[in-house]
Amino acid sequence: MRVLGVDPGLTRCGIGVVDVAANRTATLVGVGVIGSSHELSLDARLLVIAEATDQWLDAFKPDVLAIERVFAQTNLSTVMGVAQVSGVVMVAAARRGIPVTMHTPSEVKAAVTGNGRADKANVTAMVTRLLRLDEPPRPADAADALALAIAHAWRSGSAFSQGNESSTAAQQLWRAAESKAKTKKNKEKPGTTWH
């Protein structure tokens, strides 16, 4: 399973791709940070992120995109920027038919470190260890994107239960429901209506 993880942000948007094998071994495929200058207008900043996201999706062709779920903060402008970047990234994936999943920071921390309250240093250290890297990915946004990708593969169970014979009953039901929902959604694709 190839997962592209995104830690959304207007100034620094972390992005990382990992392949996760059936035995849960994760391998680094690519990692980076998409940056946009605060001197640009908001629409120009979002365009920079959209175009770079398109390049990553086309180059690495992930099976799924995992993105950090926006959560309440005291700084409203930060939340708005993160939400806007998330929307741009999700639309880019949707245009390619790539499923998008969202995970909270505590879900990612728990999956990768075993502690939902782990700090950034612990997350980075575990990502470095899990991916067998010589050096930690920098900056922290890049490490967070890789953590999202690893966490998604591990939490979903898809990386090690592609065949129904090795899936739990709950996973089989979930996959059947997902498949049914996708089929229904494809049949109901509405067109754009202009008035």
Short mmCIF file of all heavy atoms in Angstrom, two decimals, residues 21-77:
data_model
loop_
_atom_site.label_atom_id
_atom_site.label_comp_id
_atom_site.label_asym_id
_atom_site.label_seq_id
_atom_site.Cartn_x
_atom_site.Cartn_y
_atom_site.Cartn_z
N ALA A 21 4.36 -2.63 3.58
CA ALA A 21 4.22 -4.02 3.14
C ALA A 21 3.25 -4.78 4.05
O ALA A 21 2.83 -4.28 5.09
CB ALA A 21 5.59 -4.70 3.16
N ALA A 22 2.92 -5.99 3.65
CA ALA A 22 1.97 -6.82 4.39
C ALA A 22 2.46 -7.10 5.81
O ALA A 22 1.66 -7.31 6.71
CB ALA A 22 1.73 -8.12 3.65
N ASN A 23 3.78 -7.08 6.01
CA ASN A 23 4.32 -7.35 7.36
C ASN A 23 4.46 -6.07 8.19
O ASN A 23 5.14 -6.07 9.21
CB ASN A 23 5.66 -8.07 7.26
CG ASN A 23 6.73 -7.21 6.63
OD1 ASN A 23 6.51 -6.06 6.25
ND2 ASN A 23 7.92 -7.76 6.49
N ARG A 24 3.84 -4.97 7.74
CA ARG A 24 3.84 -3.67 8.40
C ARG A 24 5.15 -2.92 8.26
O ARG A 24 5.34 -1.87 8.87
CB ARG A 24 3.49 -3.79 9.90
CG ARG A 24 2.06 -4.21 10.12
CD ARG A 24 1.75 -4.44 11.59
NE ARG A 24 2.01 -3.29 12.43
CZ ARG A 24 1.09 -2.62 13.11
NH1 ARG A 24 -0.17 -2.97 13.03
NH2 ARG A 24 1.42 -1.61 13.87
N THR A 25 6.08 -3.41 7.45
CA THR A 25 7.33 -2.70 7.23
C THR A 25 7.07 -1.49 6.34
O THR A 25 6.51 -1.63 5.25
CB THR A 25 8.38 -3.61 6.56
OG1 THR A 25 8.60 -4.73 7.40
CG2 THR A 25 9.68 -2.87 6.34
N ALA A 26 7.46 -0.32 6.83
CA ALA A 26 7.25 0.92 6.08
C ALA A 26 8.56 1.36 5.45
O ALA A 26 9.62 1.30 6.08
CB ALA A 26 6.72 2.01 7.01
N THR A 27 8.48 1.81 4.20
CA THR A 27 9.66 2.25 3.46
C THR A 27 9.42 3.65 2.91
O THR A 27 8.38 3.90 2.29
CB THR A 27 9.96 1.28 2.31
OG1 THR A 27 10.11 -0.04 2.83
CG2 THR A 27 11.23 1.67 1.57
N LEU A 28 10.38 4.53 3.11
CA LEU A 28 10.30 5.89 2.59
C LEU A 28 10.37 5.88 1.07
O LEU A 28 11.25 5.25 0.49
CB LEU A 28 11.44 6.74 3.16
CG LEU A 28 11.54 8.17 2.61
CD1 LEU A 28 10.34 9.00 3.01
CD2 LEU A 28 12.83 8.82 3.07
N VAL A 29 9.46 6.60 0.44
CA VAL A 29 9.47 6.76 -1.01
C VAL A 29 9.86 8.19 -1.36
O VAL A 29 10.67 8.43 -2.25
CB VAL A 29 8.09 6.41 -1.62
CG1 VAL A 29 8.08 6.65 -3.13
CG2 VAL A 29 7.71 4.97 -1.30
N GLY A 30 9.29 9.16 -0.64
CA GLY A 30 9.61 10.56 -0.89
C GLY A 30 9.12 11.42 0.26
O GLY A 30 8.15 11.08 0.92
N VAL A 31 9.81 12.53 0.49
CA VAL A 31 9.39 13.44 1.57
C VAL A 31 9.84 14.85 1.23
O VAL A 31 10.86 15.05 0.56
CB VAL A 31 9.96 13.00 2.94
CG1 VAL A 31 11.48 13.10 2.99
CG2 VAL A 31 9.32 13.80 4.08
N GLY A 32 9.03 15.83 1.63
CA GLY A 32 9.38 17.21 1.38
C GLY A 32 8.43 18.17 2.07
O GLY A 32 7.55 17.75 2.82
N VAL A 33 8.62 19.43 1.79
CA VAL A 33 7.76 20.46 2.34
C VAL A 33 7.42 21.42 1.20
O VAL A 33 8.29 21.86 0.46
CB VAL A 33 8.46 21.24 3.48
CG1 VAL A 33 7.61 22.41 3.94
CG2 VAL A 33 8.73 20.31 4.65
N ILE A 34 6.13 21.69 1.06
CA ILE A 34 5.67 22.67 0.08
C ILE A 34 5.58 24.00 0.83
O ILE A 34 4.86 24.10 1.82
CB ILE A 34 4.29 22.31 -0.49
CG1 ILE A 34 4.31 20.92 -1.14
CG2 ILE A 34 3.82 23.37 -1.47
CD1 ILE A 34 2.93 20.37 -1.46
N GLY A 35 6.31 24.97 0.38
CA GLY A 35 6.31 26.27 1.05
C GLY A 35 5.63 27.34 0.23
O GLY A 35 5.68 27.31 -1.00
N SER A 36 4.98 28.27 0.92
CA SER A 36 4.43 29.44 0.23
C SER A 36 4.73 30.67 1.08
O SER A 36 4.62 30.63 2.30
CB SER A 36 2.93 29.28 -0.02
OG SER A 36 2.18 29.41 1.16
N SER A 37 5.12 31.73 0.42
CA SER A 37 5.52 32.94 1.11
C SER A 37 4.33 33.73 1.62
O SER A 37 3.34 33.89 0.91
CB SER A 37 6.33 33.82 0.15
OG SER A 37 6.54 35.09 0.72
N HIS A 38 4.47 34.25 2.84
CA HIS A 38 3.40 35.07 3.42
C HIS A 38 3.24 36.39 2.67
O HIS A 38 2.28 37.12 2.87
CB HIS A 38 3.67 35.31 4.91
CG HIS A 38 4.89 36.14 5.17
ND1 HIS A 38 6.16 35.59 5.19
CD2 HIS A 38 5.04 37.46 5.38
CE1 HIS A 38 7.04 36.55 5.41
NE2 HIS A 38 6.39 37.69 5.54
N GLU A 39 4.20 36.71 1.79
CA GLU A 39 4.12 37.95 1.01
C GLU A 39 3.15 37.80 -0.17
O GLU A 39 2.71 38.79 -0.75
CB GLU A 39 5.50 38.34 0.50
CG GLU A 39 6.44 38.72 1.64
CD GLU A 39 7.86 38.96 1.16
OE1 GLU A 39 8.13 38.86 -0.05
OE2 GLU A 39 8.71 39.25 2.03
N LEU A 40 2.80 36.56 -0.52
CA LEU A 40 1.85 36.32 -1.61
C LEU A 40 0.43 36.48 -1.10
O LEU A 40 0.16 36.33 0.08
CB LEU A 40 2.03 34.91 -2.18
CG LEU A 40 3.35 34.57 -2.86
CD1 LEU A 40 3.40 33.08 -3.18
CD2 LEU A 40 3.52 35.41 -4.12
N SER A 41 -0.49 36.73 -2.02
CA SER A 41 -1.91 36.77 -1.65
C SER A 41 -2.37 35.34 -1.33
O SER A 41 -1.73 34.37 -1.74
CB SER A 41 -2.74 37.34 -2.81
OG SER A 41 -2.63 36.49 -3.94
N LEU A 42 -3.47 35.22 -0.59
CA LEU A 42 -3.96 33.91 -0.19
C LEU A 42 -4.21 33.02 -1.39
O LEU A 42 -3.82 31.85 -1.41
CB LEU A 42 -5.24 34.05 0.64
CG LEU A 42 -5.91 32.73 1.04
CD1 LEU A 42 -4.98 31.87 1.88
CD2 LEU A 42 -7.21 33.01 1.77
N ASP A 43 -4.86 33.56 -2.43
CA ASP A 43 -5.14 32.72 -3.60
C ASP A 43 -3.86 32.24 -4.27
O ASP A 43 -3.77 31.09 -4.71
CB ASP A 43 -6.06 33.45 -4.60
CG ASP A 43 -5.49 34.79 -5.06
OD1 ASP A 43 -4.78 35.45 -4.26
OD2 ASP A 43 -5.78 35.18 -6.20
N ALA A 44 -2.84 33.09 -4.32
CA ALA A 44 -1.56 32.70 -4.91
C ALA A 44 -0.87 31.63 -4.06
O ALA A 44 -0.26 30.69 -4.60
CB ALA A 44 -0.65 33.92 -5.08
N ARG A 45 -0.97 31.75 -2.74
CA ARG A 45 -0.37 30.75 -1.85
C ARG A 45 -1.05 29.39 -2.04
O ARG A 45 -0.39 28.35 -2.10
CB ARG A 45 -0.47 31.20 -0.39
CG ARG A 45 0.32 32.44 -0.08
CD ARG A 45 0.21 32.85 1.35
NE ARG A 45 1.12 32.03 2.17
CZ ARG A 45 1.26 32.18 3.47
NH1 ARG A 45 0.54 33.07 4.13
NH2 ARG A 45 2.10 31.42 4.13
N LEU A 46 -2.38 29.41 -2.13
CA LEU A 46 -3.12 28.16 -2.32
C LEU A 46 -2.79 27.55 -3.69
O LEU A 46 -2.71 26.32 -3.82
CB LEU A 46 -4.62 28.39 -2.17
CG LEU A 46 -5.09 28.71 -0.75
CD1 LEU A 46 -6.56 29.11 -0.75
CD2 LEU A 46 -4.84 27.55 0.20
N LEU A 47 -2.57 28.38 -4.68
CA LEU A 47 -2.20 27.88 -6.01
C LEU A 47 -0.85 27.19 -5.97
O LEU A 47 -0.67 26.12 -6.58
CB LEU A 47 -2.20 29.02 -7.03
CG LEU A 47 -1.83 28.62 -8.46
CD1 LEU A 47 -2.82 27.59 -9.02
CD2 LEU A 47 -1.78 29.86 -9.36
N VAL A 48 0.12 27.76 -5.25
CA VAL A 48 1.44 27.14 -5.11
C VAL A 48 1.28 25.72 -4.52
O VAL A 48 1.85 24.75 -5.01
CB VAL A 48 2.36 28.00 -4.21
CG1 VAL A 48 3.60 27.23 -3.78
CG2 VAL A 48 2.75 29.28 -4.92
N ILE A 49 0.48 25.62 -3.47
CA ILE A 49 0.27 24.34 -2.80
C ILE A 49 -0.49 23.37 -3.71
O ILE A 49 -0.15 22.19 -3.80
CB ILE A 49 -0.44 24.55 -1.45
CG1 ILE A 49 0.50 25.30 -0.49
CG2 ILE A 49 -0.88 23.21 -0.85
CD1 ILE A 49 -0.16 25.88 0.72
N ALA A 50 -1.50 23.88 -4.42
CA ALA A 50 -2.28 23.02 -5.32
C ALA A 50 -1.40 22.44 -6.43
O ALA A 50 -1.47 21.24 -6.73
CB ALA A 50 -3.44 23.82 -5.92
N GLU A 51 -0.58 23.29 -7.03
CA GLU A 51 0.26 22.82 -8.14
C GLU A 51 1.31 21.82 -7.66
O GLU A 51 1.57 20.81 -8.32
CB GLU A 51 0.92 24.01 -8.84
CG GLU A 51 -0.09 24.82 -9.63
CD GLU A 51 0.50 26.07 -10.28
OE1 GLU A 51 1.59 26.53 -9.85
OE2 GLU A 51 -0.15 26.59 -11.21
N ALA A 52 1.89 22.07 -6.51
CA ALA A 52 2.88 21.13 -5.97
C ALA A 52 2.22 19.80 -5.58
O ALA A 52 2.77 18.73 -5.82
CB ALA A 52 3.58 21.75 -4.76
N THR A 53 1.01 19.87 -5.01
CA THR A 53 0.28 18.65 -4.66
C THR A 53 -0.02 17.84 -5.91
O THR A 53 0.14 16.61 -5.92
CB THR A 53 -1.03 19.01 -3.92
OG1 THR A 53 -0.71 19.74 -2.74
CG2 THR A 53 -1.81 17.75 -3.56
N ASP A 54 -0.44 18.51 -6.98
CA ASP A 54 -0.68 17.82 -8.25
C ASP A 54 0.57 17.07 -8.70
O ASP A 54 0.50 15.91 -9.13
CB ASP A 54 -1.08 18.82 -9.34
CG ASP A 54 -2.49 19.34 -9.19
OD1 ASP A 54 -3.31 18.70 -8.50
OD2 ASP A 54 -2.79 20.42 -9.77
N GLN A 55 1.73 17.72 -8.60
CA GLN A 55 2.98 17.09 -9.02
C GLN A 55 3.28 15.84 -8.18
O GLN A 55 3.68 14.81 -8.72
CB GLN A 55 4.14 18.09 -8.91
CG GLN A 55 4.06 19.20 -9.94
CD GLN A 55 5.09 20.29 -9.70
OE1 GLN A 55 5.87 20.26 -8.74
NE2 GLN A 55 5.10 21.29 -10.58
N TRP A 56 3.08 15.93 -6.86
CA TRP A 56 3.33 14.78 -5.99
C TRP A 56 2.38 13.63 -6.31
O TRP A 56 2.79 12.47 -6.39
CB TRP A 56 3.21 15.19 -4.52
CG TRP A 56 4.45 15.82 -3.98
CD1 TRP A 56 4.86 17.12 -4.15
CD2 TRP A 56 5.45 15.20 -3.18
NE1 TRP A 56 6.04 17.33 -3.50
CE2 TRP A 56 6.43 16.18 -2.90
CE3 TRP A 56 5.61 13.93 -2.67
CZ2 TRP A 56 7.56 15.90 -2.14
CZ3 TRP A 56 6.74 13.65 -1.89
CH2 TRP A 56 7.70 14.63 -1.65
N LEU A 57 1.11 13.94 -6.47
CA LEU A 57 0.12 12.89 -6.76
C LEU A 57 0.41 12.22 -8.09
O LEU A 57 0.31 10.99 -8.21
CB LEU A 57 -1.29 13.47 -6.74
CG LEU A 57 -1.81 13.93 -5.37
CD1 LEU A 57 -3.13 14.69 -5.53
CD2 LEU A 57 -1.99 12.75 -4.43
N ASP A 58 0.78 13.00 -9.11
CA ASP A 58 1.05 12.43 -10.42
C ASP A 58 2.35 11.63 -10.44
O ASP A 58 2.46 10.61 -11.11
CB ASP A 58 1.10 13.54 -11.48
CG ASP A 58 -0.27 14.16 -11.72
OD1 ASP A 58 -1.30 13.54 -11.36
OD2 ASP A 58 -0.32 15.29 -12.26
N ALA A 59 3.35 12.10 -9.69
CA ALA A 59 4.65 11.42 -9.67
C ALA A 59 4.60 10.11 -8.88
O ALA A 59 5.19 9.11 -9.30
CB ALA A 59 5.72 12.35 -9.09
N PHE A 60 3.90 10.10 -7.74
CA PHE A 60 3.97 8.94 -6.85
C PHE A 60 2.74 8.03 -6.90
O PHE A 60 2.77 6.92 -6.40
CB PHE A 60 4.24 9.40 -5.42
CG PHE A 60 5.60 10.01 -5.26
CD1 PHE A 60 5.77 11.38 -5.19
CD2 PHE A 60 6.74 9.21 -5.23
CE1 PHE A 60 7.03 11.95 -5.06
CE2 PHE A 60 8.00 9.76 -5.11
CZ PHE A 60 8.15 11.13 -5.02
N LYS A 61 1.63 8.50 -7.46
CA LYS A 61 0.42 7.70 -7.63
C LYS A 61 0.05 6.88 -6.38
O LYS A 61 0.04 5.65 -6.41
CB LYS A 61 0.57 6.78 -8.84
CG LYS A 61 0.78 7.56 -10.13
CD LYS A 61 0.87 6.67 -11.31
CE LYS A 61 1.06 7.38 -12.63
NZ LYS A 61 1.27 8.79 -12.69
N PRO A 62 -0.25 7.57 -5.27
CA PRO A 62 -0.58 6.83 -4.04
C PRO A 62 -1.93 6.11 -4.14
O PRO A 62 -2.78 6.49 -4.94
CB PRO A 62 -0.65 7.94 -2.99
CG PRO A 62 -1.03 9.16 -3.77
CD PRO A 62 -0.36 9.02 -5.11
N ASP A 63 -2.09 5.07 -3.32
CA ASP A 63 -3.36 4.36 -3.22
C ASP A 63 -4.37 5.15 -2.40
O ASP A 63 -5.58 5.02 -2.58
CB ASP A 63 -3.15 2.98 -2.57
CG ASP A 63 -2.21 2.12 -3.38
OD1 ASP A 63 -2.44 1.98 -4.60
OD2 ASP A 63 -1.23 1.59 -2.80
N VAL A 64 -3.85 5.94 -1.48
CA VAL A 64 -4.70 6.71 -0.58
C VAL A 64 -3.94 7.94 -0.10
O VAL A 64 -2.70 7.93 -0.07
CB VAL A 64 -5.16 5.84 0.62
CG1 VAL A 64 -3.99 5.42 1.49
CG2 VAL A 64 -6.22 6.54 1.46
N LEU A 65 -4.68 8.99 0.24
CA LEU A 65 -4.07 10.19 0.79
C LEU A 65 -4.56 10.34 2.23
O LEU A 65 -5.77 10.28 2.48
CB LEU A 65 -4.48 11.42 -0.03
CG LEU A 65 -3.82 12.73 0.38
CD1 LEU A 65 -3.48 13.57 -0.86
CD2 LEU A 65 -4.71 13.53 1.31
N ALA A 66 -3.64 10.50 3.16
CA ALA A 66 -3.98 10.70 4.57
C ALA A 66 -3.60 12.12 4.95
O ALA A 66 -2.48 12.56 4.70
CB ALA A 66 -3.23 9.69 5.45
N ILE A 67 -4.55 12.84 5.53
CA ILE A 67 -4.32 14.24 5.88
C ILE A 67 -4.73 14.48 7.33
O ILE A 67 -5.62 13.81 7.84
CB ILE A 67 -5.09 15.16 4.91
CG1 ILE A 67 -4.67 16.63 5.07
CG2 ILE A 67 -6.60 14.99 5.04
CD1 ILE A 67 -5.10 17.51 3.91
N GLU A 68 -4.03 15.41 7.96
CA GLU A 68 -4.36 15.71 9.36
C GLU A 68 -5.68 16.45 9.44
O GLU A 68 -5.92 17.40 8.70
CB GLU A 68 -3.25 16.56 9.98
CG GLU A 68 -3.46 16.81 11.46
CD GLU A 68 -2.28 17.51 12.10
OE1 GLU A 68 -1.20 16.90 12.20
OE2 GLU A 68 -2.44 18.69 12.48
N ARG A 69 -6.53 15.98 10.33
CA ARG A 69 -7.84 16.61 10.54
C ARG A 69 -7.64 17.93 11.27
O ARG A 69 -6.90 18.01 12.23
CB ARG A 69 -8.74 15.69 11.37
CG ARG A 69 -10.13 16.25 11.59
CD ARG A 69 -10.98 15.32 12.44
NE ARG A 69 -11.16 14.01 11.84
CZ ARG A 69 -12.08 13.75 10.90
NH1 ARG A 69 -12.86 14.70 10.46
NH2 ARG A 69 -12.18 12.53 10.41
N VAL A 70 -8.30 18.96 10.77
CA VAL A 70 -8.23 20.28 11.41
C VAL A 70 -8.89 20.19 12.77
O VAL A 70 -9.97 19.61 12.92
CB VAL A 70 -8.95 21.34 10.56
CG1 VAL A 70 -8.93 22.69 11.24
CG2 VAL A 70 -8.33 21.43 9.18
N PHE A 71 -8.24 20.73 13.77
CA PHE A 71 -8.83 20.75 15.10
C PHE A 71 -8.79 22.17 15.64
O PHE A 71 -8.03 23.00 15.17
CB PHE A 71 -8.13 19.77 16.05
CG PHE A 71 -6.67 20.10 16.28
CD1 PHE A 71 -6.27 20.78 17.41
CD2 PHE A 71 -5.71 19.72 15.36
CE1 PHE A 71 -4.94 21.08 17.63
CE2 PHE A 71 -4.37 20.03 15.56
CZ PHE A 71 -3.99 20.70 16.69
N ALA A 72 -9.65 22.43 16.61
CA ALA A 72 -9.79 23.79 17.14
C ALA A 72 -8.51 24.27 17.80
O ALA A 72 -7.88 23.55 18.55
CB ALA A 72 -10.94 23.85 18.13
N GLN A 73 -8.14 25.48 17.47
CA GLN A 73 -7.02 26.14 18.12
C GLN A 73 -7.48 27.54 18.50
O GLN A 73 -8.51 28.01 18.02
CB GLN A 73 -5.82 26.27 17.16
CG GLN A 73 -5.20 24.97 16.74
CD GLN A 73 -4.05 25.22 15.76
OE1 GLN A 73 -3.78 26.33 15.33
NE2 GLN A 73 -3.36 24.16 15.42
N THR A 74 -6.70 28.20 19.32
CA THR A 74 -7.07 29.55 19.70
C THR A 74 -6.80 30.54 18.57
O THR A 74 -7.43 31.58 18.48
CB THR A 74 -6.30 30.00 20.96
OG1 THR A 74 -4.90 29.83 20.72
CG2 THR A 74 -6.71 29.20 22.17
N ASN A 75 -5.87 30.21 17.68
CA ASN A 75 -5.51 31.10 16.58
C ASN A 75 -6.39 30.80 15.37
O ASN A 75 -6.14 29.88 14.60
CB ASN A 75 -4.03 30.92 16.23
CG ASN A 75 -3.56 31.93 15.21
OD1 ASN A 75 -4.35 32.53 14.49
ND2 ASN A 75 -2.26 32.12 15.15
N LEU A 76 -7.44 31.60 15.18
CA LEU A 76 -8.42 31.37 14.12
C LEU A 76 -7.79 31.45 12.73
O LEU A 76 -8.13 30.67 11.84
CB LEU A 76 -9.57 32.37 14.23
CG LEU A 76 -10.72 32.17 13.25
CD1 LEU A 76 -11.35 30.80 13.41
CD2 LEU A 76 -11.76 33.26 13.43
N SER A 77 -6.86 32.38 12.53
CA SER A 77 -6.26 32.51 11.20
C SER A 77 -5.45 31.26 10.84
O SER A 77 -5.43 30.84 9.68
CB SER A 77 -5.38 33.76 11.11
OG SER A 77 -4.28 33.65 11.99
#
